[in-house]
PDB file of all heavy atoms in Angstrom:
ATOM      1  N   THR A 653      19.558  -3.248  -6.203  1.00 96.00           N
ATOM      2  CA  THR A 653      19.648  -2.055  -7.041  1.00 96.00           C
ATOM      3  C   THR A 653      20.223  -2.400  -8.407  1.00 96.00           C
ATOM      4  O   THR A 653      19.772  -1.866  -9.428  1.00 96.00           O
ATOM      5  CB  THR A 653      20.518  -0.996  -6.351  1.00 96.00           C
ATOM      6  OG1 THR A 653      20.040  -0.788  -5.021  1.00 96.00           O
ATOM      7  CG2 THR A 653      20.482   0.312  -7.117  1.00 96.00           C
ATOM      8  N   TYR A 654      21.200  -3.285  -8.447  1.00 97.00           N
ATOM      9  CA  TYR A 654      21.803  -3.733  -9.715  1.00 97.00           C
ATOM     10  C   TYR A 654      21.740  -5.261  -9.753  1.00 97.00           C
ATOM     11  O   TYR A 654      20.670  -5.822  -9.897  1.00 97.00           O
ATOM     12  CB  TYR A 654      23.234  -3.195  -9.844  1.00 97.00           C
ATOM     13  CG  TYR A 654      23.282  -1.687  -9.858  1.00 97.00           C
ATOM     14  CD1 TYR A 654      23.542  -0.961  -8.687  1.00 97.00           C
ATOM     15  CD2 TYR A 654      23.017  -0.976 -11.028  1.00 97.00           C
ATOM     16  CE1 TYR A 654      23.550   0.423  -8.698  1.00 97.00           C
ATOM     17  CE2 TYR A 654      23.026   0.408 -11.042  1.00 97.00           C
ATOM     18  CZ  TYR A 654      23.287   1.104  -9.882  1.00 97.00           C
ATOM     19  OH  TYR A 654      23.281   2.471  -9.883  1.00 97.00           O
ATOM     20  N   ASP A 655      22.868  -5.944  -9.632  1.00 97.00           N
ATOM     21  CA  ASP A 655      22.896  -7.405  -9.690  1.00 97.00           C
ATOM     22  C   ASP A 655      22.645  -8.008  -8.311  1.00 97.00           C
ATOM     23  O   ASP A 655      22.905  -7.382  -7.283  1.00 97.00           O
ATOM     24  CB  ASP A 655      24.277  -7.891 -10.164  1.00 97.00           C
ATOM     25  CG  ASP A 655      24.752  -7.169 -11.411  1.00 97.00           C
ATOM     26  OD1 ASP A 655      24.040  -7.214 -12.422  1.00 97.00           O
ATOM     27  OD2 ASP A 655      25.840  -6.560 -11.352  1.00 97.00           O
ATOM     28  N   ALA A 656      22.213  -9.261  -8.306  1.00 98.00           N
ATOM     29  CA  ALA A 656      22.182 -10.004  -7.060  1.00 98.00           C
ATOM     30  C   ALA A 656      23.556 -10.578  -6.740  1.00 98.00           C
ATOM     31  O   ALA A 656      24.015 -10.516  -5.600  1.00 98.00           O
ATOM     32  CB  ALA A 656      21.145 -11.116  -7.138  1.00 98.00           C
ATOM     33  N   ILE A 657      24.222 -11.140  -7.758  1.00 98.00           N
ATOM     34  CA  ILE A 657      25.487 -11.849  -7.560  1.00 98.00           C
ATOM     35  C   ILE A 657      26.516 -11.298  -8.537  1.00 98.00           C
ATOM     36  O   ILE A 657      26.245 -11.215  -9.744  1.00 98.00           O
ATOM     37  CB  ILE A 657      25.305 -13.358  -7.807  1.00 98.00           C
ATOM     38  CG1 ILE A 657      24.300 -13.945  -6.806  1.00 98.00           C
ATOM     39  CG2 ILE A 657      26.638 -14.092  -7.743  1.00 98.00           C
ATOM     40  CD1 ILE A 657      23.801 -15.331  -7.185  1.00 98.00           C
ATOM     41  N   MET A 658      27.688 -10.926  -8.032  1.00 98.00           N
ATOM     42  CA  MET A 658      28.761 -10.448  -8.910  1.00 98.00           C
ATOM     43  C   MET A 658      30.051 -11.173  -8.574  1.00 98.00           C
ATOM     44  O   MET A 658      30.402 -11.341  -7.406  1.00 98.00           O
ATOM     45  CB  MET A 658      28.968  -8.945  -8.774  1.00 98.00           C
ATOM     46  CG  MET A 658      30.214  -8.430  -9.485  1.00 98.00           C
ATOM     47  SD  MET A 658      30.380  -6.635  -9.460  1.00 98.00           S
ATOM     48  CE  MET A 658      29.421  -6.219 -10.911  1.00 98.00           C
ATOM     49  N   LEU A 659      30.753 -11.585  -9.627  1.00 98.00           N
ATOM     50  CA  LEU A 659      32.074 -12.193  -9.490  1.00 98.00           C
ATOM     51  C   LEU A 659      32.997 -11.402 -10.394  1.00 98.00           C
ATOM     52  O   LEU A 659      32.797 -11.343 -11.617  1.00 98.00           O
ATOM     53  CB  LEU A 659      32.038 -13.672  -9.891  1.00 98.00           C
ATOM     54  CG  LEU A 659      30.936 -14.493  -9.206  1.00 98.00           C
ATOM     55  CD1 LEU A 659      29.767 -14.722 -10.162  1.00 98.00           C
ATOM     56  CD2 LEU A 659      31.469 -15.825  -8.711  1.00 98.00           C
ATOM     57  N   VAL A 660      34.021 -10.763  -9.814  1.00 98.00           N
ATOM     58  CA  VAL A 660      34.808  -9.802 -10.580  1.00 98.00           C
ATOM     59  C   VAL A 660      36.279  -9.875 -10.183  1.00 98.00           C
ATOM     60  O   VAL A 660      36.612 -10.122  -9.027  1.00 98.00           O
ATOM     61  CB  VAL A 660      34.262  -8.364 -10.372  1.00 98.00           C
ATOM     62  CG1 VAL A 660      34.319  -7.950  -8.918  1.00 98.00           C
ATOM     63  CG2 VAL A 660      34.983  -7.359 -11.236  1.00 98.00           C
ATOM     64  N   SER A 661      37.141  -9.695 -11.167  1.00 97.00           N
ATOM     65  CA  SER A 661      38.564  -9.488 -10.927  1.00 97.00           C
ATOM     66  C   SER A 661      38.926  -8.119 -11.459  1.00 97.00           C
ATOM     67  O   SER A 661      38.369  -7.672 -12.471  1.00 97.00           O
ATOM     68  CB  SER A 661      39.388 -10.572 -11.623  1.00 97.00           C
ATOM     69  OG  SER A 661      40.761 -10.403 -11.360  1.00 97.00           O
ATOM     70  N   ASP A 662      39.829  -7.446 -10.776  1.00 95.00           N
ATOM     71  CA  ASP A 662      40.222  -6.121 -11.236  1.00 95.00           C
ATOM     72  C   ASP A 662      40.861  -6.205 -12.618  1.00 95.00           C
ATOM     73  O   ASP A 662      41.549  -7.174 -12.949  1.00 95.00           O
ATOM     74  CB  ASP A 662      41.196  -5.493 -10.239  1.00 95.00           C
ATOM     75  CG  ASP A 662      41.352  -4.009 -10.469  1.00 95.00           C
ATOM     76  OD1 ASP A 662      40.451  -3.259 -10.067  1.00 95.00           O
ATOM     77  OD2 ASP A 662      42.374  -3.608 -11.046  1.00 95.00           O
ATOM     78  N   TRP A 663      40.639  -5.191 -13.442  1.00 95.00           N
ATOM     79  CA  TRP A 663      41.113  -5.196 -14.825  1.00 95.00           C
ATOM     80  C   TRP A 663      42.613  -5.447 -14.918  1.00 95.00           C
ATOM     81  O   TRP A 663      43.078  -6.191 -15.783  1.00 95.00           O
ATOM     82  CB  TRP A 663      40.758  -3.862 -15.495  1.00 95.00           C
ATOM     83  CG  TRP A 663      41.144  -3.815 -16.944  1.00 95.00           C
ATOM     84  CD1 TRP A 663      42.303  -3.354 -17.477  1.00 95.00           C
ATOM     85  CD2 TRP A 663      40.364  -4.288 -18.038  1.00 95.00           C
ATOM     86  NE1 TRP A 663      42.307  -3.485 -18.844  1.00 95.00           N
ATOM     87  CE2 TRP A 663      41.124  -4.058 -19.215  1.00 95.00           C
ATOM     88  CE3 TRP A 663      39.099  -4.873 -18.149  1.00 95.00           C
ATOM     89  CZ2 TRP A 663      40.650  -4.391 -20.484  1.00 95.00           C
ATOM     90  CZ3 TRP A 663      38.625  -5.198 -19.415  1.00 95.00           C
ATOM     91  CH2 TRP A 663      39.404  -4.963 -20.556  1.00 95.00           C
ATOM     92  N   SER A 664      43.365  -4.892 -14.003  1.00 96.00           N
ATOM     93  CA  SER A 664      44.820  -4.998 -14.090  1.00 96.00           C
ATOM     94  C   SER A 664      45.327  -6.412 -13.819  1.00 96.00           C
ATOM     95  O   SER A 664      46.460  -6.749 -14.188  1.00 96.00           O
ATOM     96  CB  SER A 664      45.481  -4.020 -13.115  1.00 96.00           C
ATOM     97  OG  SER A 664      45.121  -4.343 -11.777  1.00 96.00           O
ATOM     98  N   VAL A 665      44.516  -7.256 -13.188  1.00 98.00           N
ATOM     99  CA  VAL A 665      44.969  -8.611 -12.844  1.00 98.00           C
ATOM    100  C   VAL A 665      44.006  -9.675 -13.362  1.00 98.00           C
ATOM    101  O   VAL A 665      44.074 -10.831 -12.950  1.00 98.00           O
ATOM    102  CB  VAL A 665      45.134  -8.765 -11.312  1.00 98.00           C
ATOM    103  CG1 VAL A 665      46.243  -7.860 -10.798  1.00 98.00           C
ATOM    104  CG2 VAL A 665      43.824  -8.472 -10.577  1.00 98.00           C
ATOM    105  N   LYS A 666      43.160  -9.311 -14.300  1.00 97.00           N
ATOM    106  CA  LYS A 666      42.128 -10.239 -14.749  1.00 97.00           C
ATOM    107  C   LYS A 666      42.686 -11.485 -15.428  1.00 97.00           C
ATOM    108  O   LYS A 666      42.001 -12.516 -15.492  1.00 97.00           O
ATOM    109  CB  LYS A 666      41.160  -9.528 -15.705  1.00 97.00           C
ATOM    110  CG  LYS A 666      41.791  -9.025 -16.991  1.00 97.00           C
ATOM    111  CD  LYS A 666      40.793  -8.227 -17.813  1.00 97.00           C
ATOM    112  CE  LYS A 666      41.424  -7.669 -19.080  1.00 97.00           C
ATOM    113  NZ  LYS A 666      41.886  -8.721 -19.997  1.00 97.00           N
ATOM    114  N   ASP A 667      43.932 -11.412 -15.927  1.00 97.00           N
ATOM    115  CA  ASP A 667      44.548 -12.591 -16.537  1.00 97.00           C
ATOM    116  C   ASP A 667      45.450 -13.340 -15.564  1.00 97.00           C
ATOM    117  O   ASP A 667      46.046 -14.356 -15.918  1.00 97.00           O
ATOM    118  CB  ASP A 667      45.350 -12.185 -17.780  1.00 97.00           C
ATOM    119  CG  ASP A 667      44.464 -11.576 -18.850  1.00 97.00           C
ATOM    120  OD1 ASP A 667      43.317 -12.045 -19.002  1.00 97.00           O
ATOM    121  OD2 ASP A 667      44.898 -10.614 -19.517  1.00 97.00           O
ATOM    122  N   GLN A 668      45.555 -12.845 -14.326  1.00 98.00           N
ATOM    123  CA  GLN A 668      46.343 -13.515 -13.296  1.00 98.00           C
ATOM    124  C   GLN A 668      45.476 -14.281 -12.300  1.00 98.00           C
ATOM    125  O   GLN A 668      45.844 -15.374 -11.880  1.00 98.00           O
ATOM    126  CB  GLN A 668      47.184 -12.495 -12.510  1.00 98.00           C
ATOM    127  CG  GLN A 668      48.264 -11.803 -13.293  1.00 98.00           C
ATOM    128  CD  GLN A 668      48.951 -10.757 -12.427  1.00 98.00           C
ATOM    129  OE1 GLN A 668      48.776  -9.557 -12.602  1.00 98.00           O
ATOM    130  NE2 GLN A 668      49.731 -11.221 -11.456  1.00 98.00           N
ATOM    131  N   TYR A 669      44.326 -13.691 -11.932  1.00 98.00           N
ATOM    132  CA  TYR A 669      43.520 -14.248 -10.857  1.00 98.00           C
ATOM    133  C   TYR A 669      42.125 -14.602 -11.357  1.00 98.00           C
ATOM    134  O   TYR A 669      41.539 -13.875 -12.181  1.00 98.00           O
ATOM    135  CB  TYR A 669      43.416 -13.267  -9.694  1.00 98.00           C
ATOM    136  CG  TYR A 669      44.756 -12.819  -9.159  1.00 98.00           C
ATOM    137  CD1 TYR A 669      45.027 -11.475  -8.938  1.00 98.00           C
ATOM    138  CD2 TYR A 669      45.754 -13.754  -8.868  1.00 98.00           C
ATOM    139  CE1 TYR A 669      46.246 -11.061  -8.445  1.00 98.00           C
ATOM    140  CE2 TYR A 669      46.989 -13.344  -8.377  1.00 98.00           C
ATOM    141  CZ  TYR A 669      47.226 -12.008  -8.175  1.00 98.00           C
ATOM    142  OH  TYR A 669      48.450 -11.606  -7.701  1.00 98.00           O
ATOM    143  N   SER A 670      41.599 -15.700 -10.846  1.00 98.00           N
ATOM    144  CA  SER A 670      40.278 -16.168 -11.255  1.00 98.00           C
ATOM    145  C   SER A 670      39.447 -16.498 -10.021  1.00 98.00           C
ATOM    146  O   SER A 670      39.942 -16.484  -8.882  1.00 98.00           O
ATOM    147  CB  SER A 670      40.410 -17.404 -12.142  1.00 98.00           C
ATOM    148  OG  SER A 670      41.045 -18.465 -11.425  1.00 98.00           O
TER     149      SER A 670
END
Side-chain angles (χ1 to χ4, degrees):
T653 308
Y654 299 96
D655 311 302
I657 298 166
M658 170 175 273
L659 309 102
V660 60
S661 182
D662 195 78
W663 183 268
S664 62
V665 295
K666 63 185 178 63
D667 298 323
Q668 294 176 252
Y669 305 132
S670 61

